[in-house]
Amino acid sequence: MSQKIGIYPGTFDPITYGHIDVIKRGLKIVDKLIIAVAKDTNKDYFFSSDERVELMKKSLFNDIKLKKTRIQILSFDTLTMNLCKKYKANIIFRGLRAVSDFEYEFQLAGMNRKLDKNIETVFLMSDPESQVISSKLVKEIAIHKGSIKKFATKSIIKAINNKIR
C-alpha cells in the first residue's frame, strides 16, 4: 500500500499554535506531512525563509516533540501543485480560522483543482482556542511588549524577542 502524503503550504511567519493544531490534525489523515514554507519574494517577511524553516523545526521537534519521521519541512518558491507532483502528495491542507479566510481559500482550491484534479484540498478548522491566532497579530503583540505565551512555542517567543529587542 502506498504512503498517503500531504502538503501544508504557508508563510509561517512565524509558526503559531494555530498552525500546530492544523499540523497535528493533518497527521491524523496522512502518513507523511510536508510542511512547505513559502519563499514568496513579493512579501516583506519578519523572518527569512531559512529562519522560518529552522524555527519550525525547533518549534515542532524540540518544543512540541512531534515525530521527525512523519514530517518534512522545506522551503519552496514554486506552485504548490508542482510541489505535490515532486513529492507525490495528493492532499493539500489549508487551515481556516474564520469565514473571512474562506473566500480566498475557496478560490485557491478551485484553481488548484483546475491544475490537477487528482489532488484534493482539505480544509481544517482550527480548534476554537486557536481560531483567533494569526502570525501578524502575534508579532504585533510582541512588538508592543505583550505576552505571546498563549500563541507560540518557547522557540518562537525567543526568536521574536531577539528580533525586536
Side-chain angles (χ1 to χ4, degrees), residues 5-9 79-94 108-122:
I5 301 170
I7 291 186
Y8 180 27
L79 288 173
T80 302
M81 300 310 275
N82 293 344
L83 210 56
C84 288
K85 287 180 180 129
K86 181 176 179 177
Y87 291 96
K88 297 177 176 51
N90 61 353
I91 298 174
I92 298 171
F93 289 106
R94 299 297 295 173
L108 194 59
M111 293 298 286
N112 285 338
R113 184 91 176 144
K114 289 277 188 200
L115 292 172
D116 189 331
K117 66 180 178 11
N118 296 313
I119 298 172
E120 295 293 338
T121 298
V122 174

Side-chain angles (χ1 to χ4, degrees), residues 109-147:
M111 293 298 286
N112 285 338
R113 184 91 176 144
K114 289 277 188 200
L115 292 172
D116 189 331
K117 66 180 178 11
N118 296 313
I119 298 172
E120 295 293 338
T121 298
V122 174
F123 297 108
L124 296 173
M125 293 295 299
S126 295
D127 70 59
E129 290 279 313
S130 302
Q131 284 179 355
V132 297
I133 304 172
S134 75
S135 296
K136 181 182 177 188
L137 291 176
V138 168
K139 290 179 288 198
E140 281 185 35
I141 291 166
I143 287 166
H144 291 90
K145 300 183 182 4
S147 173

Side-chain angles (χ1 to χ4, degrees), residues 41-81:
T41 53
N42 298 328
K43 205 169 173 185
D44 189 25
Y45 292 111
F46 197 72
F47 294 104
S48 71
S49 61
D50 289 343
E51 287 173 318
R52 286 180 277 141
V53 167
E54 285 310 306
L55 285 172
M56 185 162 301
K57 287 177 182 177
K58 286 179 184 175
S59 200
L60 296 179
F61 304 138
N62 298 349
D63 298 344
I64 303 294
K65 308 272 191 252
L66 293 180
K67 291 183 181 179
K68 291 180 182 181
T69 54
R70 297 192 54 215
I71 298 170
Q72 181 177 352
I73 302 167
L74 50 84
S75 59
F76 76 109
D77 60 359
T78 182
L79 288 173
T80 302
M81 300 310 275

Side-chain angles (χ1 to χ4, degrees), residues 149-160:
K149 286 180 184 171
K150 293 180 181 177
F151 311 119
T153 67
K154 291 184 297 187
S155 296
I156 300 305
I157 293 167
K158 183 179 178 186
I160 290 174

